[in-house]
Amino acid sequence: MPTSPRDPAPEDALVRRAEDLESLRQAEHEMAFSGDQREVTGESSTVSQHPADTADFTRQRELQQTTQQLLERETEQVEAALHARQTGTYGVCANCGRAIPSERLEARPEATQCVDCQRRTETGRA
């Protein structure tokens, strides 16, 4: 796949994506483990807190957990794409074996499936 000198190679974008995800994962990890509810809110007990405050704190923790799961899934995709690059199969759909369009790799350098196979995977029709 030819690239111009101004356009970074998909491999470079893939490495940058891996670095960005690691930074995000570290920041999220630090936030998630910044302390329990009493430490975060400055309260000595959770008993006297209004239920809405407790619910808000619980919701924030759930969002953090969801974010961590999404970052983990994206990291796995990047690792799979890096492995495909090492084995010489980067840019080839892991499901059907067709070439992944360069436009897709530019938008999502970690893509290991073509658009059709990715759509089937996401909709549960794999």
Side-chain angles (χ1 to χ4, degrees), residues 8-30:
E11 293 83 10
D12 295 339
L14 186 58
V15 171
R16 280 194 315 278
R17 182 68 178 142
E19 292 168 352
D20 290 346
L21 282 171
E22 184 57 31
S23 295
L24 287 170
R25 289 176 66 205
Q26 286 178 0
E28 186 61 32
H29 180 77
E30 289 170 8

Side-chain angles (χ1 to χ4, degrees), residues 14 76-86 90 109-112:
L14 186 58
E76 289 170 2
Q77 290 174 336
V78 169
E79 289 171 355
L82 287 169
H83 178 72
R85 186 173 74 181
Q86 290 174 344
Y90 181 74
E110 68 272 20
T112 56

Side-chain angles (χ1 to χ4, degrees), residues 56-125:
D56 183 54
F57 185 82
T58 301
R59 178 71 176 142
Q60 291 301 319
R61 289 291 184 170
E62 289 173 352
L63 289 173
Q64 286 176 331
Q65 184 178 21
T66 300
T67 301
Q68 288 172 345
Q69 290 170 348
L70 290 172
L71 289 172
E72 185 63 34
R73 189 171 70 205
E74 286 193 40
T75 299
E76 289 170 2
Q77 290 174 336
V78 169
E79 289 171 355
L82 287 169
H83 178 72
R85 186 173 74 181
Q86 290 174 344
T87 60
T89 58
Y90 181 74
V92 176
C93 179
N95 287 351
C96 68
R98 291 183 297 196
I100 299 172
S102 60
E103 296 84 9
R104 175 158 170 73
L105 291 174
E106 287 174 22
R108 300 219 22 115
E110 68 272 20
T112 56
Q113 297 180 5
C114 66
V115 174
D116 292 336
C117 289
Q118 183 69 40
R119 186 175 295 123
R120 281 192 292 275
T121 298
E122 289 176 0
T123 59
R125 298 181 195 164

